[in-house]
């Protein structure tokens, strides 16, 4: 027994004990509210009158985003092959109710996997006159992920497109795209599309500008 333990310890030393690092602790609601308040006040001095209500209003969108994140993160678990095709996406995102080879449904979201030209998983929601009820970027941060803006542009006050580099505990880094449109009137459509490149291509700001040269890509993104 002692000899077996000694051999095991040598093997661990030889391979630098390649065990998975413990996952980062998730924020509680109180911790999220504290962080949201501090970040909002830093970005908008003088917002004390409304910051607490605004941050509390974002929390339901954080928790509502969890099924979306479960599907997206399933593609990037450490050790997952980097070249996934749509069939691989369907197999790994097993929480999605797939209606066909490319379309499905998850917790009120329309789900699509495409190869145009790289494999992507996209989750969509839309409704007439309602505010967008999802906060995927903040939900990732609550889970302990590092989420850094790569680039973004806005069509106006309530419509934007943004691309982020995500590094979540226990997962390989990937690029997340978020298109968001808040309905300006009760008769207009609100919409959000959250998608990821399943083949782990992470663009630079220059790449984004080259792909869409007519858009005013910026480095600073709000969410």
């Amino acid at each position: 027994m002692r000899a077996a333990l000694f051999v095991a310890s040598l093997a661990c030393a030889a391979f630098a004990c390649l065990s998975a690092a413990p996952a980062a602790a998730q924020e509680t609601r109180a911790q999220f509210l504290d962080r949201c308040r501090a970040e909002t006040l830093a970005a908008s001095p003088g917002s004390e009158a409304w910051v607490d209500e605004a941050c509390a209003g974002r929390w339901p969108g954080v928790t509502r985003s969890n099924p979306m994140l479960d599907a997206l993160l399933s593609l990037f678990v450490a050790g997952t092959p980097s070249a996934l095709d749509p069939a691989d996406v369907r197999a790994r995102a097993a929480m999605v109710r797939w209606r066909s080879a490319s379309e499905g449904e998850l917790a009120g979201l329309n789900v699509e996997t495409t190869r145009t030209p790289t494999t992507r998983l996209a989750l969509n929601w839309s409704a007439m006159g309602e505010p967008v009820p999802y906060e995927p970027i903040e939900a990732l941060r609550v889970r302990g992920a590092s989420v850094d803006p790569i680039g973004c542009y806005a069509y106006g006050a309530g419509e934007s497109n943004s691309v982020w580099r995500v590094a979540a505990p226990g997962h390989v880094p990937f690029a997340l795209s978020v298109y968001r449109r808040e309905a300006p009137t009760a008769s207009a459509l609100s919409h959000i599309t959250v998608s990821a490149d399943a083949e782990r291509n992470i663009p630079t700001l220059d790449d984004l500008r080259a792909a869409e040269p007519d858009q005013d890509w910026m480095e600073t993104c709000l969410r």
Side-chain angles (χ1 to χ4, degrees), residues 3-223:
L5 290 174
F6 179 70
V7 170
S9 66
L10 288 179
C12 182
F15 289 96
C17 292
L18 295 178
S19 59
Q26 295 193 25
E27 286 182 335
T28 63
R29 180 179 184 274
Q31 290 170 328
F32 166 77
L33 294 177
D34 288 343
R35 177 172 60 81
C36 178
R37 188 177 199 278
E39 292 175 352
T40 303
L41 290 174
S44 304
S47 59
E48 289 85 357
W50 52 264
V51 62
D52 291 331
E53 182 178 357
C55 288
R58 296 182 72 180
W59 179 252
V62 169
T63 59
R64 197 176 290 115
S65 299
N66 283 325
M68 173 192 299
L69 298 189
D70 289 340
L72 291 164
L73 290 172
S74 70
L75 310 183
F76 304 102
V77 175
T80 300
S82 60
L84 302 183
D85 62 23
D88 295 323
V89 169
R90 293 195 306 275
R92 293 180 183 279
M95 64 288 294
V96 175
R97 184 171 64 85
W98 294 102
R99 298 187 297 264
S100 69
S102 60
E103 296 182 348
E105 186 273 336
L106 174 66
L109 295 158
N110 293 317
V111 186
E112 183 180 17
T113 182
T114 60
R115 198 167 207 172
T116 54
T118 62
T119 303
R120 297 191 69 84
L121 177 66
L123 300 100
N124 308 280
W125 172 92
S126 62
M128 194 71 70
E130 298 181 20
V132 173
Y134 299 97
E135 294 281 354
I137 301 304
E138 286 306 318
L140 282 164
R141 289 173 172 153
V142 164
R143 291 187 178 210
S146 173
V147 189
D148 300 305
I150 298 173
C152 57
Y153 60 83
Y155 297 102
E159 188 173 8
S160 64
N161 193 30
S162 55
V163 182
W164 308 76
R165 183 186 185 277
V166 179
H171 298 74
V172 296
F174 64 96
L176 187 76
S177 298
V178 180
Y179 167 76
R180 187 182 189 111
R181 182 181 189 268
E182 297 284 355
T185 65
S187 60
L189 195 67
S190 291
H191 186 85
I192 187 171
T193 297
V194 182
S195 65
D197 186 324
E199 297 182 49
R200 305 182 193 172
N201 298 293
I202 301 178
T204 64
L205 181 58
D206 287 341
D207 293 333
L208 297 175
R209 286 170 171 164
E212 295 185 80
D214 295 334
Q215 302 298 340
D216 186 19
W217 285 98
M218 303 176 293
E219 294 181 80
T220 303
C221 305
L222 294 179
R223 62 180 181 180

